[in-house]
């Protein structure tokens, strides 16, 4: 959906070992008001805080059909988000989906079933530009003000996506 997502960059990082981030990274996140989660998610948060560009990491094994699509949600479609809540979606919501199901609410929050876990070995790193008005409507309707939605609602630099994705991918190694 080029209107809702003018640019979408994805990178696959293979052979990741998920675990705690180094102490200095956890301290930095904590001081910036972000709860450390694991080394993969913490990289996305650190890069977002440094560049202003939100990123999201998917467990590649959970991306079915070998493709990612940005599309409108189907009326009544549901997503269990990373905060443990099941969200009822509407066609006004933009979603990230694979060949079979919704993986994330674009610009707001990822889904529980495609998130990073201790078993993740390969990561699909998302760095995208989403329509600010659409992200704002979805976040408000669902009562989900997130670090990501906050930034997308104010606009991000579509020209920087490749560089931001490369920076984050390099930090996984």
């Amino acid at each position: 959906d080029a209107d809702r997502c003018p640019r979408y960059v994805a990178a696959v990082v293979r052979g990741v070992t998920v675990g705690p981030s180094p102490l200095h990274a956890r301290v930095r996140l904590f001081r910036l008001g972000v709860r450390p989660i694991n080394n993969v998610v913490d990289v996305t948060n650190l890069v977002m805080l440094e560049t202003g560009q939100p990123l999201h990491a998917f467990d590649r094994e959970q991306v079915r059909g070998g493709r990612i699509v940005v599309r409108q949600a189907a009326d009544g479609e549901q997503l269990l988000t990373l905060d443990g809540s099941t969200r009822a979606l509407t066609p006004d919501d933009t979603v990230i989906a694979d060949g079979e199901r919704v993986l994330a609410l674009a610009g707001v929050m990822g889904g529980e079933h495609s998130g990073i876990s201790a078993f993740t070995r390969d990561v699909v790193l998302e760095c995208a530009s989403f329509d600010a008005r659409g992200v704002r409507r979805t976040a408000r309707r669902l009562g989900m003000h997130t670090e990501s939605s906050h930034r997308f609602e104010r606009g991000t630099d579509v020209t920087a996506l490749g560089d931001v994705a490369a920076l984050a991918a390099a930090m996984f190694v």
Side-chain angles (χ1 to χ4, degrees), residues 7 51-54 127-129 151-152 155-162 164:
R7 186 160 182 222
T51 66
Q53 174 63 51
C127 190
S129 176
R151 285 161 177 79
F152 280 119
T156 58
D157 181 2
V158 68
T159 65
L161 300 182
V164 173

Side-chain angles (χ1 to χ4, degrees), residues 24 26 34 41-42 44 54 63 74 88 103 108 114 119 128 160 171:
H24 68 88
R26 291 182 303 203
V34 177
V41 175
D42 292 351
T44 66
V63 178
L103 302 174
V108 181
S114 62
F119 303 105
M171 292 174 72

Side-chain angles (χ1 to χ4, degrees), residues 10 37 40 51 69 74 83 85 122 138:
I37 297 172
V40 173
T51 66
V69 178
D83 63 1
S85 297
D122 299 327
T138 295

